[in-house]
Amino acid sequence: MINSEAARIFSGLADMLELSGENPFRIRAYRRAAMVVEGYPNDISRMSKEELKKIPGIGEDLASKLIEIVQTGTCKAYEAARQRIPEGLSLLLTVPGLGPKTARAIYDKFRIKDISELEKLAMEHRLKGAIPKIKEKTEQNILRGIGLARMGTGRRPIGQVLPVAQALISALRARAPVRQLEIAGSLRRWKETIGDIDILATSRDPAKVMDVFTGLSMVRQVVAKGETKSTVILSEGFQADLRVVEDDAFGAALCYFTGSKEHNIRLREMGVKKGLKINEYGIFDKKGEKIGGTKEEDVYRVLGLPVVPPELREDSGEIEAALKGSLPQLVRVEDIKGDLHVHSKLSDGSYSIEEIVQAAMKRGWSYVAITDHSKGLGIARGLDQERLLEEIKQIDAINGKLKRNKTPFAVLKGVEVDIRSDGALDFPDEILSRLDIVNASIHSGFRQAEEKITGRIKAALRNPFVTTLSHPTGRLLGEREAYRVDMEEVLKTAQETGTAIEINSFPARLDLNDTTARKARDMGIPIVINTDAHILDHFSYMSYGVAIARRAWLEPKNIANTLSFKEMLEVLHKKRLISLKTS
Ligand code: DGT
Ligand code: CA
Ligand code: CA
Ligand code: ZN
């Protein structure tokens, strides 16, 4: 959020002004502004200058600076102050709890260049003896501050990391002299959780790129700054590495730093068998002569392979498939023809059915299913029978209008029916049979025993009108573990009954992970990729679900909602026909 960024800039500015012995009143004004802005409940980026000036402690000058920060990500006064103090000293100022005077004393004595040097000095108690005002307790505080800044650097859901990485890329493109710039690492492979961001660049002036990168306002702490590689902790609490490489090694480096490590090892071994050395600097023949590395495809070409899509680079069969020429034609976002799990404002969504239809058409989709919650989910204003029938009527009317206007788009009547804790569904078959899409899902009894939950799901799948099992494990990344469920059993029942399984694209869910999705495909179970949208912007989450599908080796034909309206319904309603025949 821009508020905390603005706060960091103001407090950094105060620190630097203090170091250069500026007017104490100005320094105090910046400190106070930092505190006020940090705690301010509304997003300052949406406020006009006049509104900003009404915030206590913000006058004309600070309001202008806030506007500048919102527009440019920094302010001139801050950048100018940074120019006046040495690099290492401004690094020290990023350590929480280390005041400017102590930072200056440490810098003057040790000329520290990165935070790990400071950490080492504090750990070895070498600060204590050297600087009079530093006691053992100060050293502990410094270590805690360093730890604090690094905290939360555990793995994060991709949905939290990707937007930040994209902002980082735009900032670098705008301000750093970079030629090529690419995201590498697990983010390029679209793993569902990300350890850290890896970025690769080429440039005529790597030193300048490092300066810009480590100086970005979204950087909370610089862990290490080198001539061609730097590591920082971003304000959101996770780490980013930036490396600048030579143009003629960019492809080799991109391949190396995209990983996975296991995939790289396989490539390297295949190289060795051909008498080639493959590393992040390039491809070298027996004589040590460089024979490629500018482009990533160079690496695969010398091994006689087509380029393997990053999502598959996990050493889980992709090398063998590439050798045989049988890599899958992975599904793409453009292949998706519609979303089959969307909430309108009739339950806990925020938009009307008409608005949802408009947004879906704008995405180029040809259908959308409205699947509001059923009554069991009271907190989500779940629909009772009467309100559901009302919704059905509304959808019929909208479809009628679309038809009259010859608009080639269909709204599907649906529901997200709650699987109750005893395994029964929230609506009788008589109602479910009037719907096109019935997504069944569990919202309660997460702590039940495995057999119980598995039993509930199996019972739901056996219902002929349930088209899809939605968010099959109930997990919320980083928040809630999946419930205990025997996935093998669930998949087997889905296979027997012909029920589809959902890849839920909602970033906190990404439910049905890549390995299970791949297993489902192997069993011939139809898969649908849905967003579970509650607002229109959520439709963009489709790319996360598609990424899971790609990591699961899925092709368009494995996914029901890449099919035309008619074919999609044929797949999802097959079980209805079978049950009609046998009953
Ligand atoms: P993460 O950050 O834990 O989500 O996963 P990655 O894959 O992004 O891993 P990271 O950031 O440690 O390293 C980026 C890539 O660099 C990794 O995917 C492969 C490559 N790499 C790192 N260390 C090694 C290594 O020791 N050997 C080889 N062959 N490659 C490595
Ligand atoms: Ca990484
Ligand atoms: Ca890394
Ligand atoms: Zn839902």
Side-chain angles (χ1 to χ4, degrees):
M1 176 125 149
I2 190 80
N3 292 28
S4 45
E5 249 168 75
R8 209 175 26 256
I9 289 171
F10 281 166
S11 104
L13 186 50
D15 285 350
M16 293 187 285
L17 294 180
E18 188 172 337
L19 284 176
S20 41
E22 288 268 345
N23 176 350
F25 290 105
R26 272 189 72 203
I27 297 166
R28 218 171 299 148
Y30 281 123
R31 290 243 156 82
R32 170 139 191 257
M35 263 164 61
V36 176
V37 171
E38 174 89 72
Y40 198 68
N42 300 330
D43 189 341
I44 57 161
S45 66
R46 290 165 193 233
M47 296 170 70
S48 69
K49 191 164 172 189
E50 288 316 305
E51 287 168 332
L52 289 170
K53 276 160 68 179
K54 294 205 183 92
I55 304 178
I58 306 293
E60 176 70 27
D61 173 56
L62 286 170
S64 309
K65 290 203 167 66
L66 284 173
I67 300 271
E68 203 186 339
I69 290 168
V70 167
Q71 284 167 356
T72 68
T74 182
C75 73
K76 287 196 200 82
Y78 176 80
E79 296 302 326
R82 258 168 46 99
Q83 293 300 317
R84 289 196 296 267
I85 67 168
E87 184 90 47
L89 183 52
S90 70
L91 270 185
L92 289 180
L93 289 175
T94 67
V95 177
L98 184 58
K101 296 216 178 67
T102 317
R104 161 117 263 165
I106 295 173
Y107 181 77
D108 287 346
K109 179 85 196 169
F110 294 101
R111 304 275 150 185
I112 280 173
K113 278 192 214 63
D114 67 50
I115 298 296
S116 25
E117 284 177 40
L118 175 70
E119 190 174 24
K120 197 156 173 273
L121 288 170
M123 253 165 352
E124 294 168 356
H125 301 299
R126 286 167 55 203
L127 297 173
K128 193 174 59 174
I131 298 159
K133 64 178 165 193
I134 293 192
K135 313 261 172 317
E136 185 152 343
K137 188 145 167 273
T138 326
E139 289 180 328
Q140 279 165 12
N141 282 343
I142 289 170
L143 288 173
R144 193 173 319 129
I146 295 172
L148 211 65
R150 282 185 192 153
M151 218 180 55
T153 51
R155 304 193 70 79
R156 297 285 186 96
I158 187 169
Q160 284 178 21
V161 182
L162 186 61
V164 176
Q166 280 161 346
L168 204 52
I169 292 279
S170 319
L172 288 171
R173 275 236 166 81
R175 295 202 214 129
V178 289
R179 272 202 289 251
Q180 304 188 71
L181 191 63
E182 291 279 350
I183 292 176
S186 51
L187 200 52
R188 183 159 178 248
R189 305 198 312 279
W190 289 82
K191 262 191 87 154
E192 61 192 34
T193 64
I194 304 296
D196 70 352
I197 299 173
D198 301 280
I199 298 175
L200 216 57
T202 61
S203 171
R204 249 184 271 255
D205 188 357
K208 176 80 199 209
V209 177
M210 293 297 135
D211 283 345
V212 173
F213 178 61
T214 54
L216 291 173
S217 71
M218 51 196 299
V219 168
R220 183 205 283 173
Q221 191 189 81
V222 180
V223 178
K225 182 178 177 193
E227 278 160 35
T228 58
K229 187 200 161 186
S230 292
T231 296
V232 301
I233 310 278
L234 302 171
S235 43
E236 282 78 5
F238 40 83
Q239 186 176 309
D241 291 342
L242 172 66
R243 294 177 178 83
V244 178
V245 300
E246 297 293 332
D247 271 301
D248 69 352
F250 186 74
L254 184 59
C255 185
Y256 181 90
F257 290 110
T258 296
S260 69
K261 198 168 152 187
E262 292 71 23
H263 177 84
N264 289 348
I265 291 172
R266 291 292 303 275
L267 296 181
R268 204 167 50 213
E269 284 169 0
M270 286 176 72
V272 170
K273 287 205 186 107
K274 289 184 190 296
L276 300 171
K277 190 164 118 193
I278 299 172
N279 57 29
E280 63 266 50
Y281 304 107
I283 306 154
F284 305 88
D285 66 12
K286 287 189 187 83
K287 287 177 252 146
E289 207 86 47
K290 186 160 177 170
I291 59 164
T294 313
K295 294 222 161 69
E296 191 173 50
E297 58 200 64
D298 295 350
V299 178
Y300 292 95
R301 199 188 50 240
V302 296
L303 299 174
L305 302 174
V307 175
V308 175
E311 294 92 330
L312 299 185
R313 301 185 192 172
E314 300 290 346
D315 190 21
S316 58
E318 75 279 11
I319 305 271
E320 291 72 12
L323 278 168
K324 276 192 291 187
S326 62
L327 283 171
Q329 287 302 313
L330 297 178
V331 59
R332 300 159 310 158
V333 174
E334 307 88 86
D335 295 322
I336 299 293
K337 295 233 166 54
D339 195 337
L340 301 179
H341 185 165
V342 178
H343 298 272
S344 82
K345 66 180 182 194
L346 288 172
S347 68
D348 60 344
S350 302
Y351 288 88
S352 67
I353 300 174
E354 285 88 349
E355 288 167 314
I356 292 169
V357 169
Q358 288 305 321
M361 285 199 290
K362 233 167 100 188
R363 292 204 165 249
W365 290 342
S366 27
Y367 46 81
V368 72
I370 306 298
T371 57
D372 280 307
H373 288 289
S374 64
K375 59 181 184 283
L377 214 60
I379 44 161
R381 305 207 311 126
L383 306 183
D384 57 15
Q385 203 154 311
E386 198 183 330
R387 289 172 65 219
L388 179 62
L389 293 175
E390 184 50 42
E391 182 164 81
I392 291 178
K393 241 194 257 165
Q394 251 192 59
I395 295 176
D396 282 336
I398 294 171
N399 278 329
K401 202 160 128 198
L402 289 167
K403 207 166 233 164
R404 280 196 300 282
N405 297 337
K406 300 206 165 49
T407 314
F409 187 90
V411 191
L412 292 128
K413 291 171 269 195
V415 73
E416 178 173 3
V417 68
D418 191 39
I419 305 173
R420 294 183 193 158
S421 40
D422 61 358
L425 297 175
D426 238 0
F427 286 117
D429 286 4
E430 195 266 310
I431 295 289
L432 297 181
S433 66
R434 301 189 201 187
L435 300 166
D436 306 304
I437 297 294
V438 176
N439 296 328
S441 58
I442 284 194
H443 295 101
S444 62
F446 290 99
R447 268 177 273 171
Q448 288 175 344
E450 183 175 308
E451 308 84 76
K452 180 93 200 218
I453 294 185
T454 309
R456 281 164 76 191
I457 295 179
K458 283 167 70 176
L461 296 181
R462 289 206 186 94
N463 182 302
F465 303 104
V466 168
T467 52
T468 317
L469 174 64
S470 277
H471 43 81
T473 78
R475 72 165 172 187
L476 292 177
L477 286 170
E479 260 180 72
R480 184 175 73 206
E481 289 285 306
Y483 35 68
R484 279 162 293 176
V485 59
D486 185 341
M487 243 338 178
E488 296 276 325
E489 278 289 301
V490 168
L491 292 183
K492 240 192 282 167
T493 315
Q495 185 186 37
E496 281 161 22
T497 57
T499 315
I501 302 231
E502 173 186 83
I503 293 180
N504 190 298
S505 311
F506 214 78
R509 292 191 182 272
L510 297 184
D511 203 350
L512 201 62
N513 63 18
D514 44 20
T515 25
T516 320
R518 193 168 168 185
K519 212 177 282 168
R521 178 207 67 164
D522 292 343
M523 294 169 74
I525 298 167
I527 289 163
V528 290
I529 309 177
N530 289 331
T531 67
D532 205 347
H534 287 68
I535 62 171
L536 303 177
D537 287 343
H538 288 165
F539 283 152
S540 66
Y541 291 160
M542 189 56 90
S543 52
Y544 295 117
V546 168
I548 297 267
R550 291 170 66 87
R551 289 179 55 81
W553 293 53
L554 301 188
E555 305 190 340
K557 63 170 188 252
N558 307 123
I559 295 154
N561 55 330
T562 64
L563 303 174
S564 70
F565 179 78
K566 197 163 151 271
E567 292 169 318
M568 178 269 296
L569 275 187
E570 267 168 26
V571 169
L572 298 181
H573 287 179
K574 202 163 157 196
K575 64 190 281 201
R576 292 189 186 188
L577 293 175
I578 294 170
S579 92
L580 276 178
K581 268 186 221 143
T582 51
S583 65

